[in-house]
Amino acid sequence: TQLLEQSPQFLSIQEGENLTVYCNSSSVFSSLQWYRQEPGEGPVLLVTVVTGGEVKKLKRLTFQFGDARKDSSLHITAAQTGDTGLYLCAGQSSNYKLTFGKGTLLTVNP
Amino acid sequence: NAGVTQTPKFQVLKTGQSMTLQCAQDMNHEYMSWYRQDPGMGLRLIHYSVGAGITDQGEVPNGYNVSRSTTEDFPLRLLSAAPSQTSVYFCASSYLKIGPNTEAFFGQGTRLTVV
């Protein structure tokens, strides 16, 4: 079983602060994705990274894929209350199976 | 374009009852999967399929059956419901290989309670 460990599990910060969420595994993934989930909804894709060392930026969000394609991080700059939600990382293995981490529940307080 | 359609949205079952959760996609995706989401557990893979006629077990397959007779449909069957199967279930579909321009699409979820 390929495990994805996410940390921290819970994060509560003030609006305007920066934060980083981590996703680590002992396994290599062909691609890694970050999703955001709102209560009562299914996960929605934020980004896919496929190349070791890749860095992608989406406005205030920066995603990095580790050189060995085993880990990833999500950094949010100047968090806003609208960033509140459950952030999930998911890795696709060579047999196409998509495995999720347990998620990081982010609360941004005004 | 409906995407991934999952029914029902809510369901209450008595222990021992059986039922089928329906999942259909209209994007011609090869890969379909079922997850359950419990508090603090993230999404755990129950079963997945890489094409019609092909299914495989995920992390938590016990108590669930699946079949994939067509590309579009991937129903999940609970054989004899147990309280431990109380959860939110999500169906997802994607192209076989996820890349920079592809993603997994999720249904709206089924909130199942077994009493």
PDB file of all heavy atoms in Angstrom, chain B residues 4-18:
ATOM      1  N   VAL B   4     -19.669  13.610 -13.777  1.00  0.00           N
ATOM      2  CA  VAL B   4     -19.868  12.401 -12.990  1.00  0.00           C
ATOM      3  C   VAL B   4     -21.177  12.546 -12.220  1.00  0.00           C
ATOM      4  O   VAL B   4     -21.328  13.489 -11.441  1.00  0.00           O
ATOM      5  CB  VAL B   4     -18.706  12.155 -12.012  1.00  0.00           C
ATOM      6  CG1 VAL B   4     -18.976  10.902 -11.185  1.00  0.00           C
ATOM      7  CG2 VAL B   4     -17.392  12.035 -12.776  1.00  0.00           C
ATOM      8  N   THR B   5     -22.096  11.633 -12.466  1.00  0.00           N
ATOM      9  CA  THR B   5     -23.394  11.665 -11.800  1.00  0.00           C
ATOM     10  C   THR B   5     -23.470  10.522 -10.808  1.00  0.00           C
ATOM     11  O   THR B   5     -23.307   9.349 -11.175  1.00  0.00           O
ATOM     12  CB  THR B   5     -24.534  11.531 -12.819  1.00  0.00           C
ATOM     13  OG1 THR B   5     -24.434  12.582 -13.785  1.00  0.00           O
ATOM     14  CG2 THR B   5     -25.884  11.630 -12.117  1.00  0.00           C
ATOM     15  N   GLN B   6     -23.708  10.857  -9.562  1.00  0.00           N
ATOM     16  CA  GLN B   6     -23.713   9.878  -8.485  1.00  0.00           C
ATOM     17  C   GLN B   6     -25.059   9.944  -7.784  1.00  0.00           C
ATOM     18  O   GLN B   6     -25.522  11.022  -7.414  1.00  0.00           O
ATOM     19  CB  GLN B   6     -22.586  10.239  -7.515  1.00  0.00           C
ATOM     20  CG  GLN B   6     -22.223   9.199  -6.516  1.00  0.00           C
ATOM     21  CD  GLN B   6     -21.111   9.645  -5.608  1.00  0.00           C
ATOM     22  OE1 GLN B   6     -20.208  10.393  -5.981  1.00  0.00           O
ATOM     23  NE2 GLN B   6     -21.162   9.169  -4.383  1.00  0.00           N
ATOM     24  N   THR B   7     -25.692   8.788  -7.614  1.00  0.00           N
ATOM     25  CA  THR B   7     -26.973   8.743  -6.913  1.00  0.00           C
ATOM     26  C   THR B   7     -27.035   7.542  -5.977  1.00  0.00           C
ATOM     27  O   THR B   7     -26.391   6.521  -6.239  1.00  0.00           O
ATOM     28  CB  THR B   7     -28.145   8.633  -7.924  1.00  0.00           C
ATOM     29  OG1 THR B   7     -27.953   7.471  -8.732  1.00  0.00           O
ATOM     30  CG2 THR B   7     -28.250   9.873  -8.778  1.00  0.00           C
ATOM     31  N   PRO B   8     -27.791   7.635  -4.871  1.00  0.00           N
ATOM     32  CA  PRO B   8     -28.501   8.817  -4.381  1.00  0.00           C
ATOM     33  C   PRO B   8     -27.562   9.759  -3.636  1.00  0.00           C
ATOM     34  O   PRO B   8     -26.409   9.409  -3.407  1.00  0.00           O
ATOM     35  CB  PRO B   8     -29.531   8.213  -3.425  1.00  0.00           C
ATOM     36  CG  PRO B   8     -28.831   7.015  -2.855  1.00  0.00           C
ATOM     37  CD  PRO B   8     -27.990   6.454  -3.989  1.00  0.00           C
ATOM     38  N   LYS B   9     -28.033  10.909  -3.215  1.00  0.00           N
ATOM     39  CA  LYS B   9     -27.233  11.841  -2.413  1.00  0.00           C
ATOM     40  C   LYS B   9     -27.266  11.459  -0.941  1.00  0.00           C
ATOM     41  O   LYS B   9     -26.296  11.688  -0.212  1.00  0.00           O
ATOM     42  CB  LYS B   9     -27.749  13.268  -2.583  1.00  0.00           C
ATOM     43  CG  LYS B   9     -27.434  13.873  -3.931  1.00  0.00           C
ATOM     44  CD  LYS B   9     -27.501  15.389  -3.895  1.00  0.00           C
ATOM     45  CE  LYS B   9     -26.317  15.978  -3.147  1.00  0.00           C
ATOM     46  NZ  LYS B   9     -26.259  17.455  -3.228  1.00  0.00           N
ATOM     47  N   PHE B  10     -28.380  10.934  -0.492  1.00  0.00           N
ATOM     48  CA  PHE B  10     -28.531  10.511   0.898  1.00  0.00           C
ATOM     49  C   PHE B  10     -29.205   9.152   0.929  1.00  0.00           C
ATOM     50  O   PHE B  10     -30.061   8.870   0.100  1.00  0.00           O
ATOM     51  CB  PHE B  10     -29.378  11.514   1.695  1.00  0.00           C
ATOM     52  CG  PHE B  10     -28.829  12.908   1.708  1.00  0.00           C
ATOM     53  CD1 PHE B  10     -29.251  13.843   0.784  1.00  0.00           C
ATOM     54  CD2 PHE B  10     -27.887  13.284   2.647  1.00  0.00           C
ATOM     55  CE1 PHE B  10     -28.747  15.132   0.789  1.00  0.00           C
ATOM     56  CE2 PHE B  10     -27.379  14.566   2.669  1.00  0.00           C
ATOM     57  CZ  PHE B  10     -27.808  15.489   1.735  1.00  0.00           C
ATOM     58  N   GLN B  11     -28.836   8.343   1.908  1.00  0.00           N
ATOM     59  CA  GLN B  11     -29.459   7.038   2.054  1.00  0.00           C
ATOM     60  C   GLN B  11     -29.306   6.569   3.497  1.00  0.00           C
ATOM     61  O   GLN B  11     -28.231   6.695   4.081  1.00  0.00           O
ATOM     62  CB  GLN B  11     -28.807   6.021   1.115  1.00  0.00           C
ATOM     63  CG  GLN B  11     -29.434   4.638   1.146  1.00  0.00           C
ATOM     64  CD  GLN B  11     -30.794   4.599   0.505  1.00  0.00           C
ATOM     65  OE1 GLN B  11     -30.995   5.056  -0.608  1.00  0.00           O
ATOM     66  NE2 GLN B  11     -31.763   4.050   1.234  1.00  0.00           N
ATOM     67  N   VAL B  12     -30.408   6.033   4.036  1.00  0.00           N
ATOM     68  CA  VAL B  12     -30.371   5.399   5.354  1.00  0.00           C
ATOM     69  C   VAL B  12     -30.719   3.931   5.165  1.00  0.00           C
ATOM     70  O   VAL B  12     -31.730   3.607   4.537  1.00  0.00           O
ATOM     71  CB  VAL B  12     -31.357   6.059   6.340  1.00  0.00           C
ATOM     72  CG1 VAL B  12     -31.307   5.335   7.685  1.00  0.00           C
ATOM     73  CG2 VAL B  12     -31.029   7.540   6.520  1.00  0.00           C
ATOM     74  N   LEU B  13     -29.896   3.055   5.691  1.00  0.00           N
ATOM     75  CA  LEU B  13     -30.116   1.621   5.589  1.00  0.00           C
ATOM     76  C   LEU B  13     -30.166   0.998   6.965  1.00  0.00           C
ATOM     77  O   LEU B  13     -29.535   1.502   7.904  1.00  0.00           O
ATOM     78  CB  LEU B  13     -28.974   0.942   4.817  1.00  0.00           C
ATOM     79  CG  LEU B  13     -28.848   1.153   3.317  1.00  0.00           C
ATOM     80  CD1 LEU B  13     -27.619   0.413   2.801  1.00  0.00           C
ATOM     81  CD2 LEU B  13     -30.098   0.678   2.589  1.00  0.00           C
ATOM     82  N   LYS B  14     -30.877  -0.102   7.042  1.00  0.00           N
ATOM     83  CA  LYS B  14     -30.827  -0.892   8.268  1.00  0.00           C
ATOM     84  C   LYS B  14     -29.710  -1.929   8.132  1.00  0.00           C
ATOM     85  O   LYS B  14     -29.398  -2.395   7.027  1.00  0.00           O
ATOM     86  CB  LYS B  14     -32.171  -1.591   8.496  1.00  0.00           C
ATOM     87  CG  LYS B  14     -33.306  -0.629   8.808  1.00  0.00           C
ATOM     88  CD  LYS B  14     -34.590  -1.384   9.083  1.00  0.00           C
ATOM     89  CE  LYS B  14     -35.710  -0.411   9.431  1.00  0.00           C
ATOM     90  NZ  LYS B  14     -37.008  -1.102   9.658  1.00  0.00           N
ATOM     91  N   THR B  15     -29.133  -2.286   9.243  1.00  0.00           N
ATOM     92  CA  THR B  15     -28.081  -3.305   9.243  1.00  0.00           C
ATOM     93  C   THR B  15     -28.571  -4.557   8.533  1.00  0.00           C
ATOM     94  O   THR B  15     -29.681  -5.041   8.811  1.00  0.00           O
ATOM     95  CB  THR B  15     -27.667  -3.647  10.682  1.00  0.00           C
ATOM     96  OG1 THR B  15     -27.128  -2.470  11.295  1.00  0.00           O
ATOM     97  CG2 THR B  15     -26.628  -4.740  10.703  1.00  0.00           C
ATOM     98  N   GLY B  16     -27.745  -5.061   7.611  1.00  0.00           N
ATOM     99  CA  GLY B  16     -28.096  -6.274   6.882  1.00  0.00           C
ATOM    100  C   GLY B  16     -28.733  -6.027   5.526  1.00  0.00           C
ATOM    101  O   GLY B  16     -28.762  -6.932   4.679  1.00  0.00           O
ATOM    102  N   GLN B  17     -29.221  -4.816   5.290  1.00  0.00           N
ATOM    103  CA  GLN B  17     -29.814  -4.516   3.986  1.00  0.00           C
ATOM    104  C   GLN B  17     -28.717  -4.379   2.945  1.00  0.00           C
ATOM    105  O   GLN B  17     -27.550  -4.090   3.256  1.00  0.00           O
ATOM    106  CB  GLN B  17     -30.624  -3.210   4.049  1.00  0.00           C
ATOM    107  CG  GLN B  17     -31.956  -3.354   4.741  1.00  0.00           C
ATOM    108  CD  GLN B  17     -32.785  -2.084   4.665  1.00  0.00           C
ATOM    109  OE1 GLN B  17     -32.270  -0.978   4.856  1.00  0.00           O
ATOM    110  NE2 GLN B  17     -34.069  -2.242   4.401  1.00  0.00           N
ATOM    111  N   SER B  18     -29.107  -4.564   1.695  1.00  0.00           N
ATOM    112  CA  SER B  18     -28.170  -4.361   0.594  1.00  0.00           C
ATOM    113  C   SER B  18     -28.648  -3.192  -0.255  1.00  0.00           C
ATOM    114  O   SER B  18     -29.834  -2.836  -0.213  1.00  0.00           O
ATOM    115  CB  SER B  18     -28.072  -5.615  -0.271  1.00  0.00           C
ATOM    116  OG  SER B  18     -29.325  -5.901  -0.857  1.00  0.00           O
TER     117      SER B  18
END
